[in-house]
Amino acid sequence: MEGCLGWLNGEIGPLEELRVSADDRGFLFADGIYEVIRVYGSRPFLLQEHLLRLARSAEGIQLQLPFPLQRFAEITHEMIERAGLAEAEVYLQVTRGAAPRLLSFPLSPAPTVLLAVKPPRSLPAEERKRGVSLATVPDDRWRHCDLKSIALLPNVLAAEQAHRVGAHEALFVRDGLVAEGASSNFFLVRQGTLITPLADWRILPGVTRAIVLQLAREEGIPTEERDIPASELCLAEESFLTSTFREVLPVTRIDGSLVGDGLIGTISAALFTVYHEGIQRFLST
Ligand code: PDD
C-alpha cells in the first residue's frame, strides 16, 4: 500500500517491499496476534492499553513476545516519527515465525514482528452523519474471541455477507445473544441506560469499548454490561459501534429495521463528542 512504512524484525522500508518467509506460521496457520492503534497529532492513542492487550493475546496463544512491551512502544514512536504522518494507524502483528510446517510449536520459535504505519482508514462523511446499518450473522467463531488473533476468516466471511446486503458491518449473534461486530464492539441504549455485552470469551475487550464505558460513567450515564438477547434489538432506542478506527459510530438500522426513530440518538452523539474531547485531553497531557 502506497505511503505505508513498515518495520519487519528490525528492517525498515516501504511496506510492499518487506518480505516474510513463505514458511511463516502466520501465513500458513494464522498463528499470530495483532493490534491496531490510532495515531492523532503524531501520538499513538491508548498505546499502553493496546500493548497490554497484545501481551494478553500472546499469553493466550502461548507465544513469548521477543522483547518487552517497552521496546514495542519505542518502535511505535520511532516509526510514527519516521513515517511523518500526523494522522495514522499503526498495525502491529506478531506471529510464531518461520519453521518447518508442523502444527505443534517449533522448539525454538523466532517470532516475526511487523509494525506498519499507514494513513488512517476513513468513513464516508454520510455514514458519520446519518448512522450505519448492521446485518446480523450467526457467530461461528471459536471460544477465544477475547484474543486478538489474526485468524479472522469467520470475521471476513461475516463482513462480506453484511456488505452484500448493503450493511456497513456484520453483527455476530451466538445462541440468541448479541456478541459484537466483525471488527467492532456493539452498544445499545434503552431508557437512558447504555448497554453492551459482557467482556468474556465471546467478544474482544475493545480498547475503545472500555474508554467509552468510562467516559459514559463520568458523564453520569448509567451503564450495564450484560447479555443482550437478539430479540431486544428491536427495543433499542439508540445503538452504536466502537472500534479504533470507527471511534463511536451510530447505528440507525439493524437487519433493515430502524433503531428507535432512525436518527442518531442523543447519547450516541454525546459520547462521540466526549470521545473526541477525551482524545484532546490525552494529547495535551
Ligand atoms: N478491530 N471486536 C473485534 C472482533 C475487533 O476486531 C475489533 C477491532 C474490536 C474493537 O476493538 P478496539 O476498540 O480495541 O479497536 C472489537 C481492529 C480495529 C481491526 O480489525 O482493524
Side-chain angles (χ1 to χ4, degrees):
M1 193 176 156
E2 193 79 4
C4 299
L5 189 65
W7 185 104
L8 181 66
N9 283 355
E11 191 187 337
I12 296 172
L15 197 55
E16 66 275 14
E17 285 174 19
L18 297 174
R19 294 285 171 265
V20 183
S21 164
D23 259 339
D24 195 279
R25 293 172 64 94
F27 177 61
L28 293 175
F29 305 136
D31 185 0
I33 52 174
Y34 78 108
E35 282 296 325
V36 180
I37 303 148
R38 185 67 165 78
V39 176
Y40 298 98
S42 304
R43 296 184 55 184
F45 187 49
L46 305 173
L47 176 61
Q48 198 54 25
E49 285 79 353
H50 282 282
L51 292 180
L52 287 173
R53 188 171 64 187
L54 183 81
R56 245 193 100 248
S57 298
E59 202 182 319
I61 67 161
Q62 299 166 53
L63 170 65
Q64 180 147 21
L65 293 175
F67 36 76
L69 293 188
Q70 183 53 35
R71 181 75 191 119
F72 280 96
E74 284 164 15
I75 299 166
T76 306
H77 286 292
E78 187 194 319
M79 290 296 293
I80 292 169
E81 203 181 317
R82 273 184 188 254
L85 293 173
E87 298 298 305
E89 268 182 34
V90 171
Y91 179 81
L92 174 55
Q93 171 172 315
V94 186
T95 76
R96 216 179 303 273
R101 194 189 175 286
L102 285 174
L103 290 178
S104 54
F105 298 170
L107 282 181
S108 6
T112 302
V113 177
L114 170 69
L115 188 143
V117 184
K118 315 174 176 195
R121 283 167 286 177
S122 61
L123 285 166
E126 197 61 13
E127 295 200 330
R128 281 240 175 263
K129 224 167 84 195
R130 299 203 191 285
V132 297
S133 59
L134 306 181
T136 55
V137 171
D139 192 349
D140 50 12
R141 295 176 300 163
W142 68 335
R143 291 188 173 261
H144 294 290
C145 297
D146 53 322
L147 304 177
K148 203 158 172 54
S149 155
I150 59 171
L152 288 170
L153 192 51
N155 308 55
V156 166
L157 296 177
E160 178 58 22
Q161 194 175 324
H163 286 181
R164 284 198 185 156
V165 296
H168 164 86
E169 169 72 311
L171 180 62
F172 281 125
V173 175
R174 188 194 295 264
D175 299 330
L177 303 176
V178 174
E180 61 179 340
S183 62
S184 55
N185 289 115
F186 177 78
F187 287 76
L188 60 75
V189 175
R190 278 191 72 189
Q191 293 167 332
T193 297
L194 184 62
I195 306 164
T196 195
L198 271 163
D200 57 19
W201 63 271
R202 292 172 291 188
I203 68 163
L204 185 80
V207 168
T208 321
R209 172 190 179 279
I211 195 100
V212 164
L213 278 173
Q214 185 191 320
L215 292 169
R217 287 173 192 137
E218 283 173 24
E219 291 296 302
I221 299 167
T223 61
E224 272 178 30
E225 293 174 74
R226 63 156 168 87
D227 285 345
I228 301 178
S231 56
E232 199 177 336
L233 289 173
C234 60
L235 302 174
E237 289 138 24
E238 299 183 29
S239 170
F240 60 83
L241 299 175
T242 61
S243 78
T244 294
F245 106 93
R246 292 182 182 85
E247 303 168 333
V248 175
L249 180 64
V251 171
T252 46
R253 259 164 306 137
I254 303 178
D255 287 340
S257 300
L258 293 184
V259 176
D261 58 9
L263 300 173
I264 292 177
T266 48
I267 290 184
S268 312
L271 287 172
F272 177 81
T273 305
V274 291
Y275 187 77
H276 276 266
E277 286 166 1
I279 295 167
Q280 293 312 318
R281 214 191 322 161
F282 156 84
L283 290 175
S284 61
T285 55

